[in-house]
Amino acid sequence: MKRIRSSIIDGVGFDLVLVGIPLVFLILFSGLPLVYNVLMSFQEVDLFSLGEVFRPFVGLKNYRALFAQPEFWPIMWNTVIFVFCSIGGQFIVGFGLAVFFNTGFRGSTFIRGLFLVSWVMPGLVVGATWNWILAGDFGVLNYLLSSIGVISENIFWRSDINYSLWAVIITNIWLGTAFNMILLSVGLAGIPKDLYEAASLDGATAFQKFWTITVPMMRSTTGAVISLGLIFTLQQFDLFAAITGGGPANSSNVAQYWAWELSFRQYDFARGATISTIMIAVVMVASVFYVRSTRHEVRG
């Protein structure tokens, strides 16, 4: 017993306990619900059988029915636009801010820390704040755009089918920029300064140093940031609930919000689980890219 106790406290057993406890937690609260969701997408589910595990197996019937719905492809296209524009906007703005703060001017660390306020704010609070900013009659965004002559009349961002999705995209870019900036700042800090000094001695311009040193040296960090951005963006739900509710006429509806609507508004749990399963597959692909992009850092 003394050897077992010693192993648990300061030996291999202690390492196993440290790994085992989080693993059990993940299996119980993430793994089992995940398996249950995937299983439900191949079953016939209603309110009376929701608490059961073994239900009538219908194969790919839920998937075929989902693909046959007229709103499926427009919502999937909205999801692609939302993910692509959100990730692109967050990365470009975040990279620009990371490069800007990397110059190390006085107070840069403090100001960079202030940007984290947007990241730690709950999504519903962010959505409520941006509801005021995007308001058609008195919104700040319309006032700024009209002041600089970009628009001549107010845009009703949340209720116009041409702008409702962009309202959520703009908000999501603002929400995720700080996270991108922090990760990219860490990557920039890891680039040896000697490379820039040698390039300066060779007469390289600022753009040449950025293109030939910064971009190649940031490749793994960029892959990790984009992969994490894809995962987080596909999980984004709060902003749609707070700003547009997926409307009007599904113009701002995306896969993650539609899955919630089908499950908890229309009580079509099987099709809601089917959409979630499709999204799980996409997230798993993004996770593979994330692991591959960070394998060098893990090994080091």
Side-chain angles (χ1 to χ4, degrees), residues 140-295:
V140 175
L141 183 58
N142 276 341
Y143 174 77
L144 292 176
L145 293 178
S146 61
S147 298
I148 61 178
V150 175
I151 60 175
S152 57
E153 57 183 14
N154 288 340
I155 297 176
F156 291 85
W157 295 92
R158 296 174 297 160
S159 57
D160 192 324
I161 60 175
N162 297 313
Y163 297 100
S164 57
L165 182 60
W166 291 103
V168 187
I169 290 173
I170 293 171
T171 307
N172 194 47
I173 290 175
W174 181 87
L175 178 63
T177 292
F179 178 74
N180 281 255
M181 180 192 66
I182 295 300
L183 291 186
L184 292 168
S185 295
V186 173
L188 289 173
I191 301 176
K193 302 299 182 183
D194 297 343
L195 297 177
Y196 293 105
E197 293 174 0
S200 298
L201 293 175
D202 290 336
T205 63
F207 177 78
Q208 289 173 333
K209 288 188 286 187
F210 174 79
W211 188 252
T212 59
I213 298 176
T214 305
V215 173
M217 295 293 291
M218 290 286 291
R219 188 172 301 164
S220 60
T221 304
T222 299
V225 169
I226 293 177
S227 300
L228 287 174
L230 175 60
I231 295 172
F232 292 149
T233 303
L234 285 174
Q235 293 177 342
Q236 182 55 254
F237 170 84
D238 297 348
L239 297 183
F240 291 94
I243 297 176
T244 64
N250 285 324
S251 60
S252 64
N253 207 351
V254 292
Q256 57 267 37
Y257 191 79
W258 193 33
W260 175 82
E261 280 189 322
L262 288 174
S263 297
F264 300 106
R265 281 188 175 176
Q266 303 179 25
Y267 302 107
D268 194 341
F269 299 101
R271 295 189 188 182
T274 301
I275 299 177
S276 299
T277 302
I278 296 173
M279 294 180 63
I280 289 170
V282 176
V283 170
M284 289 180 66
V285 173
S287 301
V288 171
F289 281 104
Y290 171 70
V291 172
R292 287 178 60 87
S293 63
T294 57
R295 64 186 185 277

Side-chain angles (χ1 to χ4, degrees), residues 33 36-52 55 58 62-63 66 69 258-278:
Y36 179 80
N37 185 86
V38 174
L39 183 64
M40 190 161 54
S41 69
F42 296 99
Q43 296 175 328
E44 182 179 342
V45 188
D46 53 34
L47 284 172
F48 301 101
S49 62
L50 188 60
E52 302 176 5
R55 292 173 287 241
V58 296
N62 292 325
Y63 290 87
L66 186 69
Q69 290 190 229
W258 193 33
W260 175 82
E261 280 189 322
L262 288 174
S263 297
F264 300 106
R265 281 188 175 176
Q266 303 179 25
Y267 302 107
D268 194 341
F269 299 101
R271 295 189 188 182
T274 301
I275 299 177
S276 299
T277 302
I278 296 173

